[in-house]
Amino acid sequence: MSVSWIEVNELKRHYQRGPQTVRALDGVSFEIDRGELVAVVGSSGSGKSTLLNLLAGLDTPTSGSIRVGERFLEKLTRRELALYRAHAHGMVFQSFHLINHRSALQNVELALYFSDLPARERKHRATAMLERLGLGDRLDHRPGDLSGGEQQRVAIARALVKEPEILFADEPTGNLDHDNAGQIASLLQELNRGGLTILLVTHDRELAERVGQRSIRLVYGKVESITSAGEVTA
Amino acid sequence: MTTREIIALSAGNLWRQKLRASLTIAGVIIAIGSFVAMLSFGIGMQKRISEEFENLGLFTTMQVFPAREGEEGDSLTRPLLNDEGVERLSTLPGVRLAYPMSSFDVEVTYGDTSFNSEVLPLPSSAFSMKYFTSELTGETYPDDSSHHAVVTHDLLDILGMEEPEELLGDTLVLQTRPADLDSAIARVIVGFGNPIQRIGELYLDSLQTPGYVRDLARREMQLGLQRFVNGYFNARPTLTDTIIVSGVTESAQRGHLLLAPILVSPAISDRLDRGSIEDDPVALLQALRGGTFFSEEQEARDGEYSRATLNLDPAYDPVAIKDSVEAVGYRALSYVEEFNEMRKFFLIFDSGLGIIGLIALIVASLGIVNTMIMSILERTEEIGVLKSLGADDSDIHRLFLVESGIIGVIGAAFGIVLGWVVTRIASLVAQQIMRQNDMPVLDIFHIPWWLILFSIAFGLLVSLLAGLYPAARAARVDPVKALRGE
Ligand SMILES: Nc1ncnc2c1ncn2[C@@H]1O[C@H](COP(=O)(O)OP(=O)(O)OP(=O)(O)O)[C@@H](O)[C@H]1O
Ligand SMILES: [Mg+2]
């Protein structure tokens, strides 16, 4: 059996709220192969975002381990973790998290501040990425002047411009109308066909079924089921 | 992130909040401006004084006086400040030259005017000291037998002249009538007429009344004394010398000690200054009555100078030289010591001024802290984004530190300009007042290069200190919380 690309093992993330322990993640294990598009589904509060943040190296688990390629995240230093965030993955959020006072181009460029590229090359790559996502005529627009779908595409451009191995998307269509959501879903599929590994968090079952090759269902911080596309969910 | 990217990001953030940033920067500008203006006043004053000292060569000059009586040990061990003493002083380590200073009075005739003035003999070699030649117009005299003189501005004042050039090359006639015992006695004897005959007359006429003889004898004694004094003054030969004014030097005031209005070569003084006996009539009569006219004291102290001036080697510590002069047994006045005292005063003065500026800077730094914390609250999401994109805590820390540092540097740069403008205006006002009060017009403010660099460094340091807490807080922002929800 070949070794998988991402391996999550007995991952726990507990929050202490006074005397109460919130078990946001409580022993999650799964594997993801390179080039897969995996959907993480579950109801609100089931721990999807918590899982994504741990995988992205923005949060540290209470216990358990995450391996991405050769990296065991829990063994990385702060600096190495920052480098992992800078190079290994891109993130897309439900509320875009674009910086409002910066233009689309500047927002995308920002992702390259942590690579050693010269300013010119940064600008060139950011422009090319925005053009590829159909925003070539919106380079100098502020996020506030763009539609939701366009904003999310800028966010995707920002996530992809550093040519990451994985894309973490947390409810990328959550704030979009049906048409825009559909466009973003198609874009993700297209990117995946191009070889990008994608972990897509959504509570939109339809979306998960449409684009996901597999779905990981979380319930109260535990994996309830992992289903492959075409399988009938119980 | 490289430093360049961090600076670009920080500057961009400040630029975005122009109004808030400029208000904060204005606080720093005012603080640094007042800091610069205050210190430049203290520094300017100090500079003027040290320039004055430098001009007069006071750093390499020391005055030596004979020890006072009853001071330090008995009078037997008290060394004389005579030629021998001066010679000895000149051999002390660090002493380049030693000059005796003893002035005498002459009658000066210039054209139609005559007046009395003091004259100070000075060897031509003494002119190697700035002390004697500050602001010299014309030339000094070339050798010790020269018939040239250097005069001070005080002589110009006496003559009612404005410009030194008016007097250069002109002739002064110096005249003294030194007192001379021999000539005085000779005069007394001549004035007596035929003394033998007169005594005879006395004897014949008043043999019977001894009281009358006593009375007469007393009258004769008084008459004799009167004649002596008369003779003393009248029999003095008149000594005259003609000198040419070759140079005019600054005012007579030399750090508390007066320089005579006329400086001449030793050859002239040898001729004119016999100075053996006191020639003030009152003092003379007192000396005669009190029997101290020919006293030992007068003899013993003969040839002693009231002071000597030393030219010091700048490489030596003046305080050490002073100690060695005092060890010989003289009193010494070192201007360096005086200057150091003044320096101490200015240090305290400057610190006082600096503290006022510092308080303003502390207030400004609170403004910086406030602005930076506001900035963090507004930009929590942005910090989260930056962290998700690969920034680590130290990047965020630097980003905010640089931001407050930029506030400090811009504030300091414009603050220096403000300080400069303020001092220029204050200087103009001060100079106007000086002019109105006929005071010498000076620029009492000075902004040296080091003050500019220091102010920028200080502004930067204070702003960085002010930024430490906000930066640490920004670095601690939890990206998960920052990116959650809306
Ligand atoms: N900092 C925290 N302190 C305490 N509890 C937390 C904290 N962060 C998350 N939780 C809890 O952890 C659980 C999982 O949260 P998470 O955000 O991962 O859910 P989610 O599946 O992403 O939900 P949604 O679909 O609404 O985004 C929730 O019950 C939440 O209240
Ligand atoms: Mg979530």
Side-chain angles (χ1 to χ4, degrees), chain A residues 53 58-59 78-79 82 85-86 91 93 95 97 99 101-102 110-111 113-114 122 158 162, chain B residues 1 5 9 13 16 381-382 385-393 395 479-480 483 485-486:
Chain A
N53 288 331
L58 283 174
D59 196 5
R78 281 162 164 268
R79 183 84 212 130
R85 294 197 299 267
M91 291 185 90
F93 307 91
S95 50
H97 289 313
I99 295 168
H101 55 87
R102 294 179 181 277
L110 205 56
Y113 270 56
F114 306 91
R122 280 204 302 255
R158 179 178 67 186
K162 53 190 176 183
Chain B
M1 271 200 284
E5 288 151 0
L9 275 181
N13 283 327
R16 194 168 55 84
E381 183 189 357
E382 187 177 334
V385 170
L386 285 172
K387 283 193 172 181
S388 80
L389 289 175
D392 75 14
D393 290 6
D395 287 325
V480 174
L483 294 171
E486 210 18 21

Side-chain angles (χ1 to χ4, degrees), chain B residues 3-21:
Chain B
T3 312
R4 238 187 83 190
E5 288 151 0
I6 285 184
I7 290 174
L9 275 181
S10 309
N13 283 327
L14 287 173
W15 186 244
R16 194 168 55 84
Q17 293 287 347
K18 282 186 265 308
L19 180 64
R20 191 171 66 197

Side-chain angles (χ1 to χ4, degrees), chain A residues 15 17 22 24 43-50 171 203, chain B residues 481 484:
Chain A
Y15 294 102
R17 275 278 168 268
V22 179
S43 54
S44 184
S46 59
K48 307 182 294 291
S49 296
T50 304
E171 309 268 17
H203 55 228
Chain B
K481 277 184 192 160
R484 190 164 42 215

